[in-house]
Amino acid sequence: MLTFLGFAMIATFLVLIMMKKMSPIAALVLIPALFCVFAGKGAHLGDYVIEGVGKLAPTAAMLMFAIVYFGLMIDVGLFDPIVRGILRFCKADPMRVVVGTAVLAAIVSLDGDGSTTFMITVSAMYPLYKRLGLSLVVMTGVAATANGVMNTLPWGGPTARAATALKLDAADIFVPMIPALAVGLLFVFALAYVLGLRERRRVGVLSLPGQKAPEDVDDVEDVQEDLVGAATGSAAQTVSAGPVVSGAATGPAPAAASASASASPPASPSGAGSGSDPEDGFQGLDPDRPTLRPRLYWFNAGLTVALLTAMIMEWLPIPVLFLLGAALALTVNFPHMPDQKARIAAHADNVLNVAGMVFAAAVFTGVLTGTGMVKDMADWLVGAIPEGMGPHMALVTGLLSLPLTYFMSNDGFYFGVLPVLAEAGAAHGVSPLEIARASLVGQALHMSSPLVPAVYVLVGMAKVEFGDHTRFTVKWAALTSLVVLAAGMLFGII
């Protein structure tokens, strides 16, 4: 009964979200509350929710102060050199823009925090997508999938959880997986290339008003600086409503070619910017914004490196590190009280949205765990594995990691399900290391799960409906996970 209710609750949630019948925050609260009553445990709903909130409160605190910290680093210009390099690579070509999105997301993902990756990627790329009329779900899908592959870094979370749950060394799990994960990342870049070509066919290679259309994709130097300026908020001109299509591209380029292209802009993470398009009012990373602190660049870089080092070495809990880092960065970069209040206010929308989503997700996870739905669902799935698949439990684990890490939290999967799978594998001579490595392959899909708070930073800043993001991303993220699994088996890692 609980197994059926658990799957029915998840299915109901996803259907309502993708059909846009409910907002994610309302669905995360109301649907589990209703199913808790159906399970005959409505009297315990309060206990389940409080327990769920207690477990997710550190995550909410970490995300709140991580958003403030990295928002401040964006404000003061710490990431501007990386952004400028990516934007110059992109030039005026939609294909390069989409590939640049994947590269930027992968680079920033080295910090191990998804919300940071999405803040920086959207801040840099959103204005460029708007200027060129590109689909914003392509941006969110590519960024989320690239981050999902990189999320397997030892300090990203899943690897550490797998190591803890099975009492293994994280390096023994991660290091042999590097070739398979590298293949997965290359696949993401290839996917970005294909999606970029599709966008190029749809909108063409664009030129600015008064400029001659480039003859081919590489002949865009006259357009390049204007588009970099557009994306950084300093362009003196705006892209025409009817883009000029080069001879190298085909296909119509109607204004507002997709719903995403006409979406409202995100609240600027930098809180500054002068390159607004009068049609949508978006703001980019203005290279002349008053929040820049060039004289403190190396202090901010050193502080960020120290913060990431402390995270990796686990000197303090991550929420405490971000709390201290945000307070120090705010005090040093903006010593005057009015400036500090302005910076906090500039990031308040993102903080409130993400924190609210985390606590709403606490209701969902609290009911799933408290009622016993998760345990019954996991037991049913493991029990459904044919006896003949025992020697192939690593493959089974890899395949199960896709749906289970999408519908469950990482904690639920790695501490609740993985030990059961490892025990079943050990009975057939399968090493726990192979099981642990296979459990990582679903992370590309996991990063678009409705239970991952960082994904709401991504879709919120990009002004993309979560249902639209899910419909577009899930198939590509699942395919990426399968590529990682296939590469792991081919290399003999899994």
Side-chain angles (χ1 to χ4, degrees):
M1 179 64 174
L2 287 177
T3 301
F4 171 77
L5 287 176
F7 284 116
M9 183 174 82
I10 292 169
T12 302
F13 170 79
L14 290 175
V15 168
L16 290 175
I17 289 297
M18 289 191 285
M19 293 180 66
K20 303 180 184 178
K21 298 298 184 182
M22 293 183 74
S23 67
I25 194 167
L28 284 168
V29 172
L30 297 180
I31 292 173
L34 184 63
F35 274 84
C36 185
V37 174
F38 289 164
K41 301 189 178 183
H44 302 286
L45 177 62
D47 295 333
Y48 299 153
V49 172
I50 293 300
E51 184 178 356
V53 168
K55 289 181 178 179
L56 289 182
T59 300
M62 183 272 289
L63 288 171
M64 288 172 61
F65 290 103
I67 289 172
V68 172
Y69 179 82
F70 285 104
L72 290 171
M73 292 300 105
I74 294 171
D75 291 343
V76 300
L78 178 63
F79 303 106
D80 281 18
I82 297 175
V83 170
R84 282 195 296 268
I86 295 292
L87 293 175
R88 284 192 167 84
F89 162 80
C90 293
K91 299 185 178 180
D93 183 8
M95 182 272 290
R96 290 183 179 227
V97 172
V98 179
V99 173
T101 302
V103 172
L104 179 59
I107 292 174
V108 183
S109 294
L110 290 171
D111 73 346
D113 178 48
S115 58
T116 304
T117 299
F118 299 147
M119 287 174 64
I120 295 171
T121 302
V122 175
S123 297
M125 306 306 295
Y126 177 90
L128 199 54
Y129 274 75
K130 291 291 287 185
R131 295 276 172 152
L132 298 180
L134 305 182
S135 172
L136 293 174
V137 292
V138 172
M139 176 179 70
T140 61
V142 167
T145 306
N147 178 253
V149 175
M150 297 296 289
N151 192 47
T152 53
L153 292 168
W155 53 91
T159 302
R161 287 179 174 90
T164 302
L166 300 184
K167 297 179 175 58
L168 301 171
D169 187 272
D172 291 339
I173 298 173
F174 175 74
V175 173
M177 278 294 289
I178 290 176
L181 296 172
V183 170
L185 192 58
L186 289 175
F187 178 79
V188 173
F189 294 154
L191 173 64
Y193 176 80
V194 172
L195 294 175
L197 290 179
R198 189 172 72 178
E199 287 297 285
R200 183 199 287 174
R201 285 194 297 270
R202 187 174 66 84
V203 303
V205 178
L206 310 185
S207 64
L208 298 179
Q211 290 181 323
K212 181 181 178 181
E215 292 301 321
D216 57 48
V217 173
D218 293 323
D219 187 20
V220 291
E221 294 302 324
D222 291 336
V223 184
Q224 176 183 347
E225 292 301 324
D226 287 310
L227 286 174
V228 172
T232 55
S234 61
Q237 296 172 304
T238 59
V239 176
S240 59
V244 180
V245 184
S246 76
T250 61
S258 69
S260 298
S262 60
S264 301
S268 172
S270 66
S274 61
S276 300
D277 187 322
E279 292 184 3
D280 61 26
F282 71 80
Q283 293 179 327
L285 297 177
D286 181 1
D288 299 314
R289 58 190 184 276
T291 58
L292 288 177
R293 297 293 185 269
R295 294 183 179 179
L296 293 172
Y297 183 87
W298 292 111
F299 166 79
N300 290 314
L303 178 61
T304 302
V305 170
L307 182 63
L308 296 179
T309 302
M311 286 172 53
I312 295 169
M313 301 300 294
E314 299 181 350
W315 291 338
L316 285 173
I318 294 178
V320 176
L321 290 172
F322 275 119
L323 194 156
L324 294 173
L328 183 59
L330 188 66
T331 302
V332 173
N333 288 282
F334 303 96
H336 302 295
M337 187 66 68
D339 292 336
Q340 293 183 7
K341 290 181 178 180
R343 289 301 90 218
I344 293 174
H347 304 292
D349 283 349
N350 287 330
V351 169
L352 181 60
N353 288 336
V354 173
M357 206 65 67
V358 171
F359 290 122
V363 180
F364 196 94
T365 57
V367 169
L368 270 178
T369 304
T371 58
M373 291 180 187
V374 162
K375 183 179 184 303
D376 280 20
M377 290 164 64
D379 290 344
W380 180 82
L381 285 170
V382 173
I385 299 171
E387 185 68 22
M389 291 298 293
H392 308 288
M393 280 302 297
L395 171 62
V396 172
T397 300
L399 293 174
L400 287 178
S401 73
L402 274 71
L404 291 182
T405 58
Y406 185 80
F407 296 129
M408 299 170 61
S409 68
N410 270 341
D411 284 341
F413 174 71
Y414 286 102
F415 295 120
V417 179
L418 187 61
V420 177
L421 294 172
E423 185 177 345
H428 292 84
V430 181
S431 166
L433 274 173
E434 292 185 54
I435 299 292
R437 292 166 190 160
S439 71
L440 301 178
V441 304
Q443 288 304 304
L445 180 60
H446 171 74
M447 284 310 297
S448 289
S449 165
L451 300 181
V452 175
V455 74
Y456 297 105
V457 176
L458 175 64
V459 298
M461 292 182 65
K463 296 299 179 184
V464 169
E465 290 289 340
F466 182 79
D468 293 337
H469 170 78
T470 299
R471 280 195 298 272
F472 177 83
T473 307
V474 164
K475 57 183 179 292
W476 300 119
L479 184 57
T480 302
S481 293
L482 292 176
V483 167
V484 173
L485 178 59
M489 296 182 67
L490 181 65
F491 296 147
I493 302 166
I494 296 175

